Amino acid sequence: NSEDVRCKCICPPYKDHSGHIYNKNVSQKDCDCLHVVEPMPVPGPDVEAYCLRCECKYEERSSVTIKVSNVIL
């Protein structure tokens, strides 16, 4: 299920841009700032510096297990 995987990027404040959390359903190999952060909040010359500050993590979950657990509880 495509809803069971996502890439989450946490980007701290940078220059005059506030911090932001980005989520996107992408493959594990595409789990990086360049594929997840849209729209890019900084102009071209600052993209590399901005992305180096972001922490991106690939996350998987089982929605079936979550639903079963909720029924049991």
Side-chain angles (χ1 to χ4, degrees):
N1 188 347
S2 64
E3 297 172 5
D4 290 341
V5 296
R6 71 175 179 180
C7 182
K8 179 178 182 181
C9 291
I10 301 172
C11 300
Y14 178 77
K15 293 188 177 180
D16 59 341
H17 300 280
S18 60
H20 195 77
I21 297 174
Y22 299 89
N23 292 301
K24 190 171 181 183
N25 292 337
V26 295
S27 66
Q28 190 169 7
K29 70 177 183 70
D30 290 335
C31 184
D32 59 40
C33 174
L34 293 175
H35 288 97
V36 176
V37 176
E38 290 180 355
M40 187 61 68
V42 296
D46 288 334
V47 169
E48 184 177 1
Y50 181 79
C51 282
L52 286 173
R53 299 169 57 90
C54 297
E55 181 180 341
C56 297
K57 291 184 180 177
Y58 185 74
E59 299 176 343
E60 293 183 70
R61 67 179 185 172
S62 172
S63 57
V64 173
T65 301
I66 294 169
K67 289 175 185 175
V68 170
S69 298
N70 287 337
V71 170
I72 292 172
L73 297 174

Coordinates of all heavy atoms in Angstrom, one line a residue:
N1 N 0.9 -1.2 0.0 CA 0.0 0.0 0.0 C 0.9 1.2 0.0 O 1.8 1.4 0.9 CB -0.9 0.0 1.2 CG -2.0 1.0 1.2 OD1 -1.9 2.0 0.4 ND2 -2.9 0.9 2.1
S2 N 0.7 2.2 -0.9 CA 1.5 3.3 -1.0 C 1.4 4.3 0.2 O 2.3 5.1 0.5 CB 1.2 4.1 -2.3 OG -0.1 4.6 -2.3
E3 N 0.3 4.1 1.0 CA 0.2 5.0 2.1 C 1.0 4.4 3.3 O 1.1 5.1 4.3 CB -1.3 5.0 2.5 CG -2.2 5.7 1.5 CD -3.7 5.5 1.8 OE1 -4.0 5.0 2.9 OE2 -4.5 5.9 1.0
D4 N 1.6 3.3 3.2 CA 2.3 2.7 4.2 C 3.8 3.0 4.2 O 4.6 2.6 5.1 CB 2.2 1.1 4.2 CG 0.8 0.7 4.6 OD1 0.1 1.5 5.3 OD2 0.4 -0.4 4.3
V5 N 4.2 3.7 3.2 CA 5.6 4.2 3.1 C 5.7 5.7 2.9 O 4.8 6.2 2.2 CB 6.4 3.4 2.0 CG1 6.5 1.9 2.3 CG2 5.8 3.7 0.7
R6 N 6.7 6.3 3.4 CA 6.8 7.7 3.2 C 8.3 8.1 3.5 O 9.0 7.4 4.2 CB 5.9 8.6 4.0 CG 6.2 8.6 5.5 CD 5.3 9.5 6.2 NE 5.6 9.5 7.6 CZ 4.9 10.2 8.5 NH1 3.9 11.0 8.1 NH2 5.3 10.2 9.8
C7 N 8.6 9.3 3.0 CA 9.9 9.9 3.4 C 9.5 11.2 4.1 O 8.7 11.9 3.7 CB 10.7 10.2 2.2 SG 12.3 10.9 2.6
K8 N 10.1 11.3 5.3 CA 9.8 12.5 6.1 C 11.1 13.3 6.3 O 12.2 12.8 6.7 CB 9.4 12.0 7.5 CG 9.1 13.2 8.5 CD 8.5 12.6 9.8 CE 8.2 13.6 10.7 NZ 7.7 13.0 12.0
C9 N 11.1 14.5 5.8 CA 12.3 15.4 5.9 C 12.0 16.5 6.9 O 11.0 17.3 6.8 CB 12.7 16.0 4.6 SG 13.3 14.8 3.4
I10 N 12.8 16.7 7.9 CA 12.7 17.7 8.9 C 13.8 18.8 8.6 O 15.0 18.5 8.7 CB 12.8 17.2 10.3 CG1 11.8 16.2 10.6 CG2 12.7 18.4 11.3 CD1 11.9 15.4 11.9
C11 N 13.4 20.0 8.2 CA 14.3 21.0 7.8 C 14.2 22.1 8.8 O 13.2 22.7 9.0 CB 14.0 21.5 6.4 SG 14.1 20.2 5.1
P12 N 15.4 22.4 9.5 CA 15.4 23.5 10.5 C 15.3 24.9 9.8 O 15.5 25.0 8.5 CB 16.7 23.3 11.2 CG 17.6 22.6 10.2 CD 16.6 21.8 9.3
P13 N 15.1 26.0 10.5 CA 15.1 27.3 9.9 C 16.4 27.6 9.2 O 17.5 27.1 9.6 CB 15.0 28.2 11.2 CG 14.4 27.4 12.2 CD 14.9 26.0 12.0
Y14 N 16.3 28.3 8.1 CA 17.5 28.6 7.3 C 17.3 30.1 6.8 O 16.3 30.4 6.1 CB 17.6 27.7 6.1 CG 18.8 28.0 5.2 CD1 20.0 27.6 5.5 CD2 18.5 28.6 4.0 CE1 21.1 27.9 4.6 CE2 19.6 28.9 3.1 CZ 20.9 28.5 3.4 OH 21.9 28.8 2.6
K15 N 18.3 30.9 7.1 CA 18.2 32.3 6.8 C 16.9 32.9 7.2 O 16.5 32.8 8.3 CB 18.6 32.5 5.3 CG 20.0 32.2 5.0 CD 20.4 32.6 3.6 CE 21.8 32.3 3.3 NZ 22.2 32.7 1.9
D16 N 16.1 33.4 6.2 CA 14.8 34.0 6.6 C 13.6 33.1 6.4 O 12.5 33.5 6.4 CB 14.6 35.3 5.8 CG 14.6 35.1 4.3 OD1 15.1 34.1 3.8 OD2 14.1 36.0 3.5
H17 N 13.9 31.8 6.3 CA 12.9 30.7 6.1 C 12.7 30.0 7.4 O 13.7 29.6 8.0 CB 13.2 29.8 5.0 CG 13.4 30.4 3.6 ND1 12.4 30.8 2.8 CD2 14.5 30.8 3.0 CE1 12.8 31.4 1.7 NE2 14.1 31.4 1.8
S18 N 11.4 29.8 7.8 CA 11.2 29.1 9.0 C 11.4 27.6 8.8 O 11.4 27.1 7.6 CB 9.7 29.3 9.5 OG 8.8 28.9 8.5
G19 N 11.5 26.8 9.8 CA 11.7 25.4 9.7 C 10.4 24.7 9.2 O 9.3 25.3 9.4
H20 N 10.5 23.5 8.6 CA 9.3 22.9 8.1 C 9.5 21.4 8.0 O 10.6 20.9 7.9 CB 9.0 23.4 6.7 CG 7.7 23.1 6.1 ND1 6.5 23.8 6.6 CD2 7.3 22.2 5.3 CE1 5.5 23.3 5.9 NE2 5.9 22.3 5.1
I21 N 8.4 20.6 8.1 CA 8.5 19.2 8.0 C 7.8 18.8 6.6 O 6.6 19.3 6.4 CB 7.8 18.5 9.1 CG1 8.5 18.8 10.4 CG2 7.7 17.0 8.9 CD1 7.8 18.3 11.7
Y22 N 8.4 18.0 5.8 CA 7.9 17.6 4.5 C 7.7 16.1 4.5 O 8.5 15.4 5.0 CB 8.9 18.0 3.4 CG 9.2 19.4 3.3 CD1 10.2 20.0 4.0 CD2 8.4 20.2 2.4 CE1 10.5 21.4 3.9 CE2 8.7 21.6 2.3 CZ 9.7 22.2 3.0 OH 10.0 23.5 2.9
N23 N 6.6 15.7 4.0 CA 6.3 14.2 3.9 C 5.9 14.0 2.4 O 5.2 14.7 1.8 CB 5.1 13.8 4.7 CG 5.4 13.9 6.2 OD1 6.3 13.2 6.7 ND2 4.6 14.7 6.9
K24 N 6.4 12.8 1.9 CA 6.1 12.5 0.5 C 6.2 11.0 0.3 O 7.1 10.4 0.9 CB 7.0 13.2 -0.5 CG 6.5 13.1 -1.9 CD 7.4 14.0 -2.8 CE 6.9 13.9 -4.2 NZ 7.8 14.7 -5.1
N25 N 5.3 10.4 -0.4 CA 5.4 9.0 -0.7 C 6.4 8.8 -1.9 O 6.0 9.0 -3.0 CB 4.0 8.4 -1.1 CG 3.0 8.4 0.0 OD1 3.5 8.4 1.2 ND2 1.8 8.4 -0.3
V26 N 7.6 8.4 -1.5 CA 8.6 8.1 -2.5 C 9.3 6.8 -2.2 O 9.2 6.3 -1.1 CB 9.7 9.2 -2.6 CG1 9.1 10.5 -3.1 CG2 10.4 9.5 -1.3
S27 N 10.1 6.3 -3.1 CA 10.8 5.0 -2.8 C 12.0 5.4 -1.8 O 12.4 6.5 -1.7 CB 11.4 4.4 -4.1 OG 12.4 5.3 -4.6
Q28 N 12.5 4.3 -1.2 CA 13.6 4.5 -0.3 C 14.8 5.2 -0.9 O 15.5 6.0 -0.3 CB 14.0 3.2 0.3 CG 14.9 3.3 1.5 CD 15.1 2.0 2.3 OE1 14.6 1.0 1.9 NE2 15.8 2.1 3.4
K29 N 15.1 4.8 -2.2 CA 16.3 5.4 -2.8 C 16.1 6.9 -3.1 O 17.0 7.7 -3.3 CB 16.7 4.7 -4.1 CG 15.7 4.8 -5.2 CD 16.2 4.1 -6.5 CE 15.3 4.2 -7.6 NZ 15.3 5.6 -8.2
D30 N 14.8 7.4 -3.2 CA 14.5 8.8 -3.5 C 14.2 9.6 -2.2 O 13.8 10.7 -2.3 CB 13.3 8.9 -4.4 CG 13.7 8.5 -5.8 OD1 14.9 8.5 -6.2 OD2 12.7 8.1 -6.6
C31 N 14.5 9.0 -1.1 CA 14.3 9.7 0.2 C 15.4 10.6 0.5 O 16.3 10.3 1.3 CB 14.1 8.6 1.3 SG 13.6 9.4 2.9
D32 N 15.3 11.8 -0.1 CA 16.3 12.9 0.2 C 15.6 14.2 0.0 O 14.5 14.3 -0.6 CB 17.5 12.7 -0.6 CG 17.3 12.7 -2.1 OD1 16.4 13.5 -2.6 OD2 17.9 11.9 -2.8
C33 N 16.3 15.2 0.4 CA 15.7 16.6 0.3 C 15.3 17.0 -1.1 O 14.2 17.5 -1.3 CB 16.8 17.6 0.8 SG 16.3 19.3 0.7
L34 N 16.1 16.6 -2.1 CA 15.8 17.1 -3.5 C 14.6 16.4 -4.0 O 13.9 17.0 -4.9 CB 17.0 16.7 -4.4 CG 18.3 17.5 -4.1 CD1 19.4 17.0 -5.0 CD2 18.1 19.0 -4.3
H35 N 14.2 15.2 -3.6 CA 13.0 14.6 -4.1 C 11.8 14.8 -3.2 O 10.6 14.6 -3.7 CB 13.2 13.0 -4.1 CG 14.2 12.6 -5.2 ND1 15.5 12.4 -5.0 CD2 14.0 12.4 -6.5 CE1 16.1 12.0 -6.1 NE2 15.2 12.0 -7.1
V36 N 11.9 15.3 -2.0 CA 10.8 15.4 -1.0 C 10.4 16.9 -0.8 O 9.2 17.1 -0.7 CB 11.1 14.7 0.3 CG1 10.0 14.9 1.3 CG2 11.4 13.2 0.1
V37 N 11.3 17.8 -0.7 CA 11.0 19.2 -0.4 C 10.5 19.9 -1.7 O 11.2 20.1 -2.6 CB 12.3 19.9 0.1 CG1 11.9 21.4 0.4 CG2 12.7 19.2 1.4
E38 N 9.2 20.1 -1.7 CA 8.5 20.7 -2.8 C 7.4 21.6 -2.3 O 6.6 21.2 -1.4 CB 7.9 19.7 -3.8 CG 8.9 19.0 -4.6 CD 8.2 18.0 -5.5 OE1 7.0 17.8 -5.5 OE2 8.9 17.3 -6.3
P39 N 7.3 22.9 -2.6 CA 8.3 23.6 -3.5 C 9.5 23.9 -2.7 O 9.5 24.1 -1.4 CB 7.6 24.8 -3.9 CG 6.6 25.1 -2.8 CD 6.2 23.7 -2.3
M40 N 10.7 24.0 -3.3 CA 11.9 24.3 -2.6 C 11.8 25.8 -2.2 O 11.6 26.7 -3.0 CB 13.1 24.1 -3.6 CG 14.5 24.3 -3.0 SD 14.9 23.1 -1.7 CE 15.0 21.6 -2.5
P41 N 12.0 26.0 -0.9 CA 11.8 27.3 -0.3 C 12.9 28.3 -0.6 O 12.8 29.5 -0.3 CB 11.6 27.1 1.2 CG 12.4 25.9 1.4 CD 12.2 25.0 0.2
V42 N 14.0 27.8 -1.1 CA 15.2 28.7 -1.3 C 15.6 28.7 -2.8 O 15.3 27.8 -3.5 CB 16.4 28.2 -0.4 CG1 16.1 28.3 1.1 CG2 16.8 26.8 -0.8
P43 N 16.2 29.8 -3.2 CA 16.7 29.9 -4.6 C 17.8 28.9 -4.9 O 18.5 28.4 -4.0 CB 17.1 31.4 -4.7 CG 17.4 31.8 -3.4 CD 16.6 31.0 -2.4
G44 N 18.1 28.7 -6.2 CA 19.1 27.7 -6.6 C 20.4 27.7 -5.9 O 20.8 26.6 -5.5
P45 N 21.1 28.8 -5.7 CA 22.4 28.8 -5.1 C 22.4 28.3 -3.6 O 23.4 27.9 -3.1 CB 22.9 30.3 -5.1 CG 22.0 30.9 -6.2 CD 20.7 30.2 -6.2
D46 N 21.2 28.4 -3.0 CA 21.1 28.0 -1.6 C 20.6 26.6 -1.4 O 20.5 26.1 -0.2 CB 20.2 29.0 -0.8 CG 20.8 30.3 -0.6 OD1 22.1 30.4 -0.5 OD2 20.1 31.3 -0.4
V47 N 20.2 25.9 -2.4 CA 19.5 24.6 -2.3 C 20.5 23.6 -1.6 O 20.0 22.9 -0.7 CB 19.1 24.1 -3.7 CG1 18.7 22.6 -3.6 CG2 18.0 24.9 -4.2
E48 N 21.7 23.5 -2.0 CA 22.6 22.6 -1.4 C 22.8 22.8 0.1 O 22.7 21.9 0.9 CB 24.0 22.6 -2.1 CG 24.9 21.5 -1.6 CD 26.3 21.5 -2.3 OE1 26.5 22.3 -3.2 OE2 27.1 20.6 -1.9
A49 N 23.0 24.1 0.5 CA 23.2 24.4 1.9 C 21.9 24.1 2.7 O 22.0 23.6 3.8 CB 23.6 25.9 2.1
Y50 N 20.8 24.4 2.1 CA 19.5 24.1 2.8 C 19.3 22.6 3.0 O 19.0 22.2 4.1 CB 18.3 24.7 1.9 CG 17.0 24.5 2.5 CD1 16.5 25.3 3.6 CD2 16.1 23.5 2.1 CE1 15.3 25.1 4.1 CE2 14.9 23.3 2.7 CZ 14.5 24.1 3.7 OH 13.2 23.9 4.2
C51 N 19.5 21.9 1.9 CA 19.3 20.4 2.0 C 20.3 19.7 2.9 O 19.9 18.7 3.6 CB 19.4 19.8 0.6 SG 17.9 20.0 -0.4
L52 N 21.5 20.2 3.1 CA 22.4 19.6 4.0 C 21.9 19.7 5.5 O 22.3 18.9 6.3 CB 23.8 20.3 3.9 CG 24.6 19.9 2.6 CD1 25.9 20.7 2.5 CD2 24.9 18.4 2.7
R53 N 21.1 20.7 5.7 CA 20.6 20.9 7.1 C 19.4 20.0 7.4 O 19.0 19.8 8.5 CB 20.2 22.4 7.3 CG 21.4 23.3 7.1 CD 20.9 24.8 7.1 NE 20.1 25.2 8.3 CZ 20.7 25.7 9.4 NH1 22.0 25.9 9.4 NH2 19.9 26.0 10.4
C54 N 18.7 19.5 6.3 CA 17.5 18.7 6.5 C 17.9 17.2 6.9 O 18.8 16.7 6.3 CB 16.7 18.7 5.2 SG 16.1 20.3 4.7
E55 N 17.0 16.7 7.7 CA 17.2 15.3 8.1 C 16.0 14.5 7.5 O 14.9 14.7 7.9 CB 17.2 15.1 9.6 CG 17.4 13.7 10.1 CD 17.4 13.6 11.6 OE1 17.6 14.6 12.3 OE2 17.2 12.5 12.1
C56 N 16.3 13.6 6.6 CA 15.3 12.8 5.9 C 15.4 11.3 6.4 O 16.4 10.8 6.4 CB 15.5 12.9 4.4 SG 15.3 14.6 3.8
K57 N 14.2 10.8 6.7 CA 14.1 9.4 7.1 C 13.0 8.7 6.3 O 11.9 9.2 6.2 CB 13.8 9.3 8.6 CG 14.9 9.8 9.5 CD 14.6 9.5 10.9 CE 15.7 10.0 11.8 NZ 15.3 9.9 13.2
Y58 N 13.3 7.5 5.9 CA 12.3 6.6 5.2 C 11.6 5.9 6.3 O 12.1 5.3 7.2 CB 13.0 5.7 4.3 CG 12.1 4.8 3.4 CD1 11.4 5.4 2.4 CD2 11.9 3.5 3.7 CE1 10.6 4.6 1.6 CE2 11.1 2.7 2.9 CZ 10.4 3.3 1.9 OH 9.6 2.5 1.1
E59 N 10.2 5.9 6.2 CA 9.4 5.2 7.2 C 8.4 4.3 6.5 O 7.9 4.6 5.5 CB 8.6 6.3 8.0 CG 9.5 7.3 8.7 CD 8.7 8.4 9.4 OE1 7.5 8.5 9.1 OE2 9.3 9.0 10.3
E60 N 8.3 3.1 7.2 CA 7.3 2.1 6.7 C 6.4 1.7 7.9 O 6.9 1.7 9.0 CB 8.0 0.8 6.3 CG 8.9 1.0 5.0 CD 9.5 -0.3 4.6 OE1 8.7 -1.2 4.1 OE2 10.7 -0.5 4.7
R61 N 5.2 1.4 7.6 CA 4.3 1.0 8.6 C 3.3 0.0 8.0 O 3.1 0.0 6.8 CB 3.5 2.2 9.2 CG 2.6 2.9 8.3 CD 1.8 4.0 8.8 NE 0.9 4.5 7.9 CZ 0.0 5.4 8.1 NH1 -0.1 5.9 9.3 NH2 -0.9 5.8 7.2
S62 N 2.6 -0.7 8.9 CA 1.6 -1.6 8.4 C 0.3 -1.2 8.9 O -0.1 -1.3 10.1 CB 1.9 -3.0 9.0 OG 0.8 -3.9 8.7
S63 N -0.5 -0.6 8.0 CA -1.8 -0.1 8.3 C -2.7 -1.2 8.8 O -3.6 -1.0 9.6 CB -2.4 0.7 7.2 OG -2.5 -0.1 6.0
V64 N -2.5 -2.4 8.2 CA -3.4 -3.6 8.7 C -3.1 -3.9 10.1 O -4.1 -4.0 10.9 CB -3.0 -4.8 7.8 CG1 -3.8 -6.0 8.4 CG2 -3.4 -4.6 6.4
T65 N -1.9 -3.9 10.6 CA -1.5 -4.1 12.0 C -2.1 -3.0 12.9 O -2.7 -3.3 13.9 CB 0.0 -4.2 12.2 OG1 0.5 -5.2 11.4 CG2 0.3 -4.4 13.6
I66 N -2.1 -1.8 12.4 CA -2.6 -0.7 13.2 C -4.1 -0.8 13.3 O -4.7 -0.7 14.4 CB -2.3 0.7 12.5 CG1 -0.8 0.9 12.6 CG2 -3.0 1.8 13.1 CD1 -0.3 2.1 11.7
K67 N -4.8 -1.2 12.2 CA -6.3 -1.4 12.3 C -6.7 -2.5 13.2 O -7.6 -2.4 14.0 CB -6.8 -1.6 10.9 CG -6.8 -0.4 10.0 CD -7.3 -0.7 8.6 CE -7.1 0.5 7.7 NZ -7.4 0.2 6.3
V68 N -5.9 -3.6 13.2 CA -6.2 -4.8 14.0 C -6.0 -4.4 15.5 O -6.8 -4.7 16.4 CB -5.3 -6.0 13.6 CG1 -5.4 -7.1 14.7 CG2 -5.7 -6.5 12.3
S69 N -4.9 -3.7 15.8 CA -4.6 -3.2 17.1 C -5.7 -2.3 17.7 O -6.1 -2.4 18.8 CB -3.3 -2.5 17.2 OG -2.2 -3.3 16.8
N70 N -6.2 -1.5 16.8 CA -7.3 -0.6 17.3 C -8.6 -1.3 17.6 O -9.3 -1.0 18.5 CB -7.6 0.5 16.2 CG -6.5 1.6 16.2 OD1 -5.8 1.7 17.2 ND2 -6.3 2.2 15.1
V71 N -8.9 -2.4 16.8 CA -10.0 -3.2 17.0 C -9.9 -3.9 18.4 O -10.9 -4.0 19.1 CB -10.3 -4.2 15.9 CG1 -11.4 -5.2 16.2 CG2 -10.7 -3.4 14.6
I72 N -8.7 -4.5 18.6 CA -8.5 -5.2 19.9 C -8.6 -4.3 21.1 O -9.2 -4.7 22.1 CB -7.1 -5.9 19.8 CG1 -7.1 -7.0 18.8 CG2 -6.7 -6.5 21.2 CD1 -5.8 -7.7 18.5
L73 N -8.1 -3.1 21.0 CA -8.1 -2.2 22.1 C -9.5 -1.6 22.3 O -10.1 -1.3 23.2 CB -7.2 -1.0 21.9 CG -5.7 -1.4 21.8 CD1 -4.8 -0.2 21.4 CD2 -5.2 -2.0 23.1

